[in-house]
Amino acid sequence: MPDHHTPLIATIALGLLLAFIFGIAANRLRVSPLVGYLLAGVAVGPFTPGFVADQELANQLAEIGVILLMFAVGLHFSLKDLMAVRSIALPGAVGQIIVATLMGMGLGWLFNWGIGGGLVFGLSLSVASTVVLIRSLQERRIAETERGRIAIGWLIVEDLAMVLALVLLPAIAPALKGGVGLSFGELAVTLAITLGKVAAFIVLMLVAGRRIIPWVMHHAAHTGSRELFRLAVYAIALGVAFGAAELFGVSFALGAFFAGMVMGESQLSQRAAEEALPLRDAFAVLFFVSVGMLFNPHILITAPFAVLAVLAIIVIGKSAAAFFIVKAFGHPTGTALTISASLAQIGEFSFILAGLGGSLGLLPPEGRDLILAGAILSILVNPFLFILVERRRTALPARAAAPNPHPAPDLAAPAVAVVPAVVPTALPAQPAKPADPADAELVEVPAMQDHDVVIGYGRVGSIVARGLRDAGRPVLVFEDAERIVGTARTEGLPVVLGNAADPEVLATANLPAARRLFITVPETFEAGQVVEQARALNATLEITARAHSDEAVEYLERLGATRIIMSEREVARRMLENGNG
């Protein structure tokens, strides 16, 4: 029998299998599946008995996940959005990096690592994980809100700063170790070359890329082949990321982000995002598995107080710095809390910096182990920190807008439902741009009776909502993408900005008094959550949902959907009707 040596297949197969098993266990325990993915990495890592996956291959697979994730973020993040948050993202990120680096250098000084080791250590603790931050924002449906855009812009500035650090560290390493380094003039030239390369890449993407990438996508779509279109999406995402790293010296993540941002200006951006989703999620899981492989649990026993100190810098020190910076720039407390929670972890660049610092002789091995321990623990803690932050944000408006215990009745005022700030705002039909709904202190949603509710305002939902409106029916739309909400608003439709799968958001629909619910979102599990909650609120509500498979139809029927439309089946029926007509 032949000896099959397939480390790539073994790493992918066992990594995904164990991630699934541990992820299911984490979900049963009501904690984030990310915890399970990290534990799966520990299980196949070199510090636990049994199978040991190939760490180098795992890291490369993880990098693909980072590329696809940042590409998807770029699809929903326009240049206008990036420029809109530059006034807070640029000084905020730089200030937070300086504070966190100084705290890390102070801890390194206590360990007698020298200025070079302390600098690398501090920089490693100052930069957030791309994957964790984006996943956290996307899971909570706040990536496209104002605070989400600030967090992403902040992350981009951090990435750019780390690119500069990776280029400059080898040049100044001799001086940091007490030897002879580059002169000031040589250092200035190196910095100018690095900045020039980054600027050249950005200009190339904004000038040539804005012409070439939409043209390629247009021709791929007109072939009529879904396979070729999907291939074009992956080729652009991975190709631009690789070219950015090889030719311009920027990170894969930054290159993929700009590729997505340029493609986002195309009319095919939504379809591109859908095609990138499955592969993106699979490789994002492998990223967390690869991080778990690096973790040596033994350090928790040999240096517990050092680990706690590192964790405190990441979760408390860095977050506090971000919070006060955001508040200093006049942003609401809710925004400051979200930004601080988003940045309370470290990841990819931290590992790269630690590896470079070790190879240059600046950072001792125990420094790398502490960075890895801090990364693992901060990623584990981050979901719980977000829960605490959301609870805190929810409590703020309730105190700030406490009602008068003896209000004067206003008999002429229309009935309204008062909703805490965690519930997104019902947006009236007006041209002005709404504030971030999470930052509003008091939200009023018109009380509706015998109305229809439409979940999603995409290609299907927009047709349904317009048809109901034209038929004279009162309609309330739910949509979690702010740009799409703007479109519905200009068409005169009342809209709730938020994810209807969230019970507190769905509560604004007043479903007990509604007549019909139309769920037009394509994601089966999200639709199922809405169906289950809606049926619990109104046993007689007519619920119509869409599905893409027989399994999805069965799933939604079991949860209580009244009528389910499967697109392929309806197309076939219409074809038969026309053929027999």
Side-chain angles (χ1 to χ4, degrees), residues 448-459:
M448 302 179 72
Q449 301 284 333
D450 192 39
H451 57 292
D452 295 330
V453 179
V454 179
I455 309 298
Y457 200 73
R459 289 174 294 181

Side-chain angles (χ1 to χ4, degrees), residues 63 67 159-160 163 166 201 240-242 244-245 248-257 349 352:
E63 196 69 65
I67 290 171
D159 283 357
L160 286 170
V163 168
L166 291 172
F201 167 71
V240 172
F242 179 77
F248 298 95
V250 304
S251 66
F252 287 123
L254 194 63
F257 172 82
F349 269 113
I352 298 172

Side-chain angles (χ1 to χ4, degrees), residues 278-516:
L279 200 61
R280 182 201 74 187
D281 287 347
F283 280 101
V285 169
L286 290 175
F287 164 79
F288 291 103
V289 173
S290 71
V291 173
M293 290 174 62
L294 296 170
F295 183 53
N296 184 358
H298 188 62
I299 196 172
L300 298 176
I301 300 173
T302 59
F305 295 109
V307 171
L308 289 176
V310 170
L311 186 62
I313 290 175
I314 298 169
V315 176
I316 300 175
K318 188 169 70 163
S319 296
F323 178 87
F324 288 115
I325 290 172
V326 175
K327 287 291 292 180
F329 277 81
H331 288 270
T333 300
T335 299
L337 286 171
T338 299
I339 302 302
S340 60
S342 301
L343 300 170
Q345 34 71 27
I346 59 175
E348 312 86 80
F349 269 113
S350 304
F351 311 142
I352 298 172
L353 282 166
L356 178 62
S359 65
L360 294 173
L362 297 173
L363 186 69
E366 56 266 31
R368 187 203 65 176
D369 292 339
L370 286 174
I371 290 170
L372 293 175
I376 293 287
L377 294 176
S378 64
I379 290 173
L380 291 174
V381 168
N382 197 245
F384 302 104
L385 185 62
F386 254 108
I387 292 173
L388 293 175
V389 163
E390 291 300 314
R391 288 178 179 174
R392 173 67 175 168
R393 266 198 330 103
T394 306
L396 285 172
R399 291 195 297 270
N404 186 342
H406 304 289
D410 184 1
L411 301 178
V416 297
V418 179
V419 186
V422 71
V423 179
T425 311
L427 301 172
Q430 57 184 14
K433 180 183 176 181
D436 185 350
D439 297 330
E441 291 194 351
L442 195 63
V443 177
E444 294 186 347
V445 178
M448 302 179 72
Q449 301 284 333
D450 192 39
H451 57 292
D452 295 330
V453 179
V454 179
I455 309 298
Y457 200 73
R459 289 174 294 181
V460 176
S462 59
I463 296 174
V464 173
R466 291 176 196 137
L468 293 171
R469 179 199 59 192
D470 294 343
R473 291 287 304 153
V475 184
L476 179 62
V477 177
F478 283 75
E479 173 57 54
D480 60 8
E482 189 172 340
R483 285 186 290 177
I484 298 178
V485 164
T487 301
R489 188 173 67 250
T490 58
E491 295 176 359
L493 289 164
V495 189
V496 172
L497 174 59
N499 181 11
D502 184 336
E504 295 188 12
V505 175
L506 190 61
T508 63
N510 193 22
L511 290 180
R515 177 188 290 186
R516 291 178 295 185

Side-chain angles (χ1 to χ4, degrees), residues 12 43 154 162 224 262 291 363-364 410:
I12 295 176
W154 197 299
M162 292 307 113
V262 170
V291 173
L363 186 69
D410 184 1

